Amino acid sequence: MPIPLTTALGKVVRRAALARGGGSAFPGLFVERLDPSYVRRVLATLPRGVVVVSGTNGKTTTTKIVVDLLESQGLRVFTNRTGSNFVRGVAAALLGAVDLRGHLPADIAVLELDEAHAVHFVKEVAPRYSLLLNVMRDQLDRFGEIDHTARMLQSIARATTDAVVVNRDDPRLGAQAFAEGIVGPALRSYGTSIEVSARFPSDDNLYGGSEGAPHPAPAVYVDDTQLDSFEGDRAQISYAGGAHSARLMLTGVYNVLNATAAIALTRAVLGDDLREPQMLEALSKVRPAFGRGETLQIDGQTCAMVLVKNPAGFRLALSSYDPADTATMIAINDNYADGRDMSWLWDVDFGSLRAGGVTTVGGVRAYDMALRLQYDDVPVGGVTPDPERALEEFLGATTGQDKRIYCTYTAMLAIRKVLGTKGALDKVIA
Amino acid sequence: MSRPVRILQLYPRDMNIYGDWGNTLVLKQRLTWHGYDPQILDYNPGDAFPDDVDLIVGGGGQDSGQGVIVDDLQGLGPRLHSLAGNGVPMLVVCGLYQLFGHHFDTVDGRRLPGIGLLDVHTVGGTTRLIGNITTRHPDVGDLVGYENHSGKTYLGAGAQPLATVVQGAGNNGEDGTEGAQHHHVLGTYLHGSVLPKNPRLADLLLEQAVRNRYGEFAPGAIDDRYADQARRVAMTRPR
Ligand SMILES: [Zn+2]
């Protein structure tokens, strides 16, 4: 079916779905059924091809940074938004971006894809570049085990035509065997200096107890981008024999590593055409993605929302933020999108919260969380499963204090909604 | 007066799927709250097996983890049999539960030998038995947890189930049994982790360990209200 026809029909369906308040799932499904090769053919028109970003943690933030960095180079970038990181979501996002003739006004596409969806996607559309972030245990456990997840990322790399950028510090992605299985595209990597690596425990470090052990990379990568050091909001990132200092609005050690990943990818895409000052300037202006280390202003105090999805992410978040002088709330839901299994909370060490305690514990599984804190000797102020009441209690108990809320995905949505309706939210400041 | 109790973690490096640390932490903290001095020892493949172990815990693993430890475990078999015969309590969850049985026949046709400490065997399946689970234990009442396994475990004539399934799949999704018990060795598919939300099961293991060493167990008063509430909520959640 010709692109303009599918586009016209798809846009009608999309408009109808939007008018009824529906999401992007149906229009995406409609296009997929009507014209299975539509996504492939539209993306094939992009002069600089497709970038796939995949891995367990940090996809959304990293994709956002990559988009900003590529735009700083004058490229027009098409991207899929949060929550639609599957093939159908890409189709739906395309319908919103193409003109009536089905022409996509972009130079390059940057797509965040779940590992399992990416495997199918790359069979349809061979990415020119892929960025592989990490393989972590995830309580959603959609794939059974992480060795299997690593194999999925390898098949994404194999389907890539020009360059694959890999987190060399990840024990599975940085392994010799992983790299050896990728023939064809150039192999590039990013990672941290030995000094900084102690602040990035890998998944195996978390479980095996050898947290912070330095991890030398295999010597198979033709090009490295490295996070040398960071302190406060300043990071030093080096590549091609030079070190570069950047000031960041992003908070959290893992976001600084995501920024390093984004630089590595941008360098791979631009090659010698890279305009470095513009890239570093753009990097300093990147704001966190929705709910991922966002800072809000509530009644004159700052309130940081920190999304926690799995044990490695939660531990990194706890080690990223100093709990001193900040009131803490934790909200844990167990809806499908959060993962039903609470076991993961037992793989997170909450010892850093012992001194200050946790003012309020909320969410459907608030008592599971309170129980977890009890076993780490962390004092708990109150336990209130209902998110709205929990938030009210938290705000009431912490007037005049800065606040930080660790929350799972659906708990974050509930809390954001309450903040919006209460008018408690002055503004989003970072 | 110091009253040490030695807890051995079996294969913490290779067998540690979600939350297995939670079981060790609960045993450790409850011992402290009961007035004892817990000592945590790790045993990984190739290590010297320590003397003087009062309690053993082990967890789940990926296929690769099971592959790494399977030979080493064979070597430990006689030792573990004799400890079990002496009344040493053990808790093995998921992957190690399977290998404490006679054997595990995987979906790809391999047979992983177990140590036969529990009269069970496991057959790999293609569907995962996954979700919240509630079972009933004859002594401590309801046990709540989360199961996630593709292996189906069947009890032999010499095995006693740990509990009967109230809601969920259990050993195999067919016969209504969950876990297995022999002497004071408990095997189960319950994660959650299992011990935090089931403190009476934790105390059952601790009581046995302490009695073996000191002749009697004088429990302390522990506030289990969060555990009670968490259990209550867990039983109402969708699978
Ligand atoms: Zn399991």
Side-chain angles (χ1 to χ4, degrees):
Chain A
M1 184 171 290
I3 285 178
L5 182 54
T6 307
T7 302
L9 292 170
K11 276 185 179 286
V12 169
V13 169
R14 179 171 179 274
R15 210 171 302 128
L18 286 177
R20 296 160 111 221
S24 62
F26 183 70
L29 178 66
F30 174 80
V31 168
E32 203 172 75
R33 291 275 160 80
L34 179 73
D35 186 355
S37 65
Y38 179 76
V39 168
R40 174 171 56 76
R41 285 179 297 140
V42 172
L43 291 177
T45 63
L46 294 173
R48 283 179 181 265
V50 172
V51 178
V52 166
V53 180
S54 196
T56 314
N57 277 343
K59 286 189 290 287
T60 302
T61 299
T62 307
T63 300
K64 190 173 186 298
I65 304 171
V66 167
V67 169
D68 287 1
L69 299 192
L70 291 176
E71 284 177 347
S72 78
Q73 304 298 304
L75 296 181
R76 297 170 305 162
V77 184
F78 165 75
T79 187
N80 56 339
R81 283 171 312 161
T82 316
S84 60
N85 56 352
F86 46 96
V87 183
R88 204 163 290 163
V90 175
L94 276 177
L95 283 179
V98 292
D99 67 19
L100 286 171
R101 287 170 295 117
H103 175 248
L104 182 61
D107 301 304
I108 191 166
V110 181
L111 303 175
E112 168 196 350
L113 293 169
D114 260 8
E115 300 90 324
H117 295 119
V119 168
H120 294 290
F121 181 86
V122 299
K123 285 181 196 154
E124 273 292 305
V125 181
R128 206 170 288 182
Y129 310 94
S130 55
L131 175 54
L132 308 178
L133 301 174
N134 47 55
V135 185
M136 303 270 190
R137 283 164 224 230
D138 190 312
Q139 75 282 5
L140 296 178
D141 203 22
R142 288 157 296 192
F143 320 126
E145 23 177 272
I146 51 176
D147 291 344
H148 180 217
T149 311
R151 286 194 289 275
M152 292 199 270
L153 290 183
Q154 198 183 38
S155 69
I156 297 165
R158 282 211 192 102
T160 304
T161 58
D162 287 22
V164 176
V165 181
V166 171
N167 177 358
R168 65 165 196 236
D169 295 340
D170 184 279
R172 285 170 187 76
L173 304 184
Q176 190 85 26
F178 185 88
E180 279 170 4
I182 306 165
V183 182
L187 273 178
R188 291 164 165 250
S189 79
Y190 70 96
T192 65
S193 64
I194 296 289
E195 301 82 73
V196 175
S197 71
R199 296 165 79 169
F200 293 97
S202 76
D203 203 56
D204 287 1
N205 293 153
L206 291 182
Y207 289 85
S210 58
E211 198 165 313
H215 25 231
V220 291
Y221 299 108
V222 294
D223 184 279
D224 270 345
T225 301
Q226 175 167 294
L227 175 60
D228 296 332
S229 63
F230 73 98
E231 207 52 67
D233 59 355
R234 278 212 162 271
Q236 182 176 299
I237 296 167
S238 66
Y239 50 80
H244 310 269
S245 179
R247 181 162 262 157
L248 304 172
M249 288 174 85
L250 298 164
T251 59
V253 288
Y254 49 93
N255 279 335
V256 183
L257 185 62
N258 291 335
T260 309
I263 289 177
L265 193 275
T266 303
R267 294 183 53 237
V269 173
L270 272 298
D272 293 340
D273 297 335
L274 181 73
R275 285 178 288 172
E276 205 170 271
Q278 284 86 338
M279 177 179 76
L280 295 174
E281 167 79 12
L283 184 66
S284 70
K285 290 181 180 158
V286 176
R287 290 164 180 277
F290 178 67
R292 283 139 173 106
E294 261 185 332
T295 302
L296 322 171
Q297 186 117 40
I298 300 171
D299 297 336
Q301 304 295 322
T302 65
C303 177
M305 302 273 285
V306 184
L307 179 68
V308 289
K309 296 195 299 181
N310 45 41
F314 209 153
R315 284 185 78 144
L316 280 173
L318 287 170
S319 69
S320 296
Y321 302 112
D322 182 358
D325 305 321
T326 303
T328 302
M329 171 171 165
I330 304 178
I332 304 294
N333 277 357
D334 69 347
N335 294 313
Y336 180 76
D338 306 297
R340 296 226 181 269
D341 187 359
M342 285 299 108
S343 304
W344 67 289
L345 296 178
W346 294 89
D347 291 328
V348 182
D349 182 351
F350 292 92
S352 63
L353 298 176
R354 205 168 288 142
V358 173
T359 307
T360 309
V361 179
V364 176
R365 291 291 197 140
Y367 287 105
D368 274 81
M369 188 63 230
L371 179 64
R372 176 69 194 89
L373 293 170
Q374 180 187 358
Y375 276 98
D376 268 352
D377 298 317
V378 176
V380 172
V383 186
T384 306
D386 179 72
E388 184 164 354
R389 280 189 42 218
L391 185 69
E392 257 163 39
E393 287 174 20
F394 179 59
L395 297 181
T398 59
T399 40
Q401 279 181 278
D402 287 337
K403 307 170 212 320
R404 184 169 295 119
I405 305 176
Y406 295 96
C407 41
T408 62
Y409 185 68
T410 69
M412 184 210 40
L413 296 181
I415 288 168
R416 286 288 311 247
K417 198 168 162 196
V418 176
L419 285 173
T421 55
K422 287 174 63 65
L425 183 61
D426 302 344
K427 58 178 174 171
V428 177
I429 54 181
Chain B
M1 186 184 65
S2 161
R3 293 191 295 180
V5 176
R6 286 156 68 85
I7 300 172
L8 179 78
Q9 300 197 90
L10 209 47
Y11 306 119
R13 199 171 62 208
D14 300 295
M15 300 294 277
N16 56 23
I17 276 239
Y18 317 114
D20 288 325
W21 166 247
N23 293 328
T24 307
L25 178 63
V26 164
L27 294 169
K28 174 176 177 262
Q29 286 285 54
R30 294 186 81 82
L31 273 174
T32 308
W33 297 335
H34 285 310
Y36 298 89
D37 303 297
Q39 296 176 358
I40 308 292
L41 312 170
D42 285 359
Y43 176 87
N44 287 304
D47 288 353
F49 197 86
D51 294 324
D52 240 14
V53 172
D54 297 310
L55 206 165
I56 294 176
V57 275
Q62 309 194 56
D63 292 351
S64 61
Q66 280 191 329
V68 169
I69 63 116
V70 71
D71 290 340
D72 191 88
L73 181 64
Q74 286 301 301
L76 287 191
R79 189 79 186 249
L80 293 171
H81 271 271
S82 100
L83 288 171
N86 292 333
V88 172
M90 306 184 194
L91 173 72
V92 284
V93 180
C94 203
L96 266 182
Y97 165 41
Q98 294 167 341
L99 295 180
F100 265 49
H102 298 295
H103 51 80
F104 177 15
D105 294 326
T106 66
V107 261
D108 49 3
R110 287 172 305 135
R111 170 165 288 194
L112 300 177
I115 57 171
L117 190 41
L118 296 167
D119 182 19
V120 304
H121 74 276
T122 303
V123 180
T126 46
T127 51
R128 279 194 105 72
L129 305 173
I130 181 166
N132 287 305
I133 175 170
T134 302
T135 68
R136 193 153 294 143
H137 183 281
D139 300 326
V140 304
D142 289 333
L143 298 177
V144 300
Y146 192 91
E147 60 182 326
N148 183 356
H149 54 109
S150 53
K152 292 178 167 189
T153 298
Y154 296 91
L155 306 183
Q160 198 190 316
L162 179 68
T164 51
V165 176
V166 177
Q167 201 141 66
N171 278 328
N172 47 52
E174 295 156 22
D175 63 15
T177 66
E178 202 296 306
Q181 173 162 11
H182 180 63
H183 296 302
H184 295 278
V185 179
L186 318 183
T188 180
Y189 275 118
L190 267 61
H191 306 221
S193 313
V194 62
L195 295 183
K197 279 206 285 288
N198 301 287
R200 295 180 67 190
L201 189 69
D203 284 352
L204 203 69
L205 292 161
L206 292 175
E207 176 169 359
Q208 177 65 22
V210 172
R211 277 188 196 285
N212 286 344
R213 185 181 267 258
Y214 297 105
E216 57 166 8
F217 176 62
I222 297 178
D223 183 350
D224 282 324
R225 279 175 296 179
Y226 287 152
D228 293 340
Q229 295 273 39
R231 290 162 60 77
R232 192 180 48 75
V233 172
M235 285 189 239
T236 67
R237 299 303 295 155
R239 182 135 163 95

